[in-house]
Amino acid sequence: MSCAVLLDNNAKPKSMSRAKQWTGEIEDLYRFQQAGYRDELEYRQIKQVEIDRWPDTGFVKKLQRRDNTFYYYNRKRECEDREVHKVKVYVY
């Protein structure tokens, strides 16, 4: 993802693929998608707030859903191996 995409408030994904194996990036995407967003970029565009992260793992700690309720996530991995294939990875 380029810096120009981060600055563009109307950025739309060019393509989408499914995750094949778990990584830290896939964990974060899983958390954003559980809260109803494509990814961090869409969350920042809509909510315009800083993202709370766990200091030791760097994973997302708390997200606000579109209906203004909050999802709180654990420090450790939450995306189990059986859920990895459900995560969508967008390319801008």
Side-chain angles (χ1 to χ4, degrees), residues 1-91:
M1 194 174 352
S2 70
C3 292
V5 170
L6 293 174
L7 298 174
D8 181 8
N9 287 338
N10 297 318
K12 301 283 185 220
K14 292 179 183 170
S15 65
M16 185 275 296
S17 62
R18 298 280 180 169
K20 303 285 188 247
Q21 67 182 56
W22 185 89
T23 64
E25 179 185 4
I26 298 303
E27 180 68 34
D28 276 349
L29 286 171
Y30 175 79
R31 294 174 186 214
F32 283 109
Q33 290 170 19
Q34 288 291 304
Y37 302 96
R38 277 192 309 257
D39 50 26
E40 183 175 347
L41 180 62
E42 184 182 44
Y43 183 80
R44 287 180 186 271
Q45 288 172 352
I46 293 171
K47 291 299 178 183
Q48 298 178 353
V49 295
E50 201 57 39
I51 297 167
D52 291 334
R53 294 184 175 274
W54 289 104
D56 49 346
T57 61
F59 295 148
V60 173
K61 183 178 185 177
K62 175 182 79 172
L63 292 174
Q64 188 174 8
R65 293 182 358 177
R66 292 173 191 258
D67 63 1
N68 291 326
T69 58
F70 288 90
Y71 272 174
Y72 292 90
Y73 298 99
N74 293 324
R75 231 177 225 109
K76 297 180 180 165
R77 176 179 174 176
E78 291 199 3
C79 180
E80 298 178 22
D81 284 336
R82 68 173 189 252
E83 301 285 324
V84 169
H85 73 282
K86 297 178 183 176
V87 177
K88 297 176 182 178
V89 181
Y90 293 94
V91 176

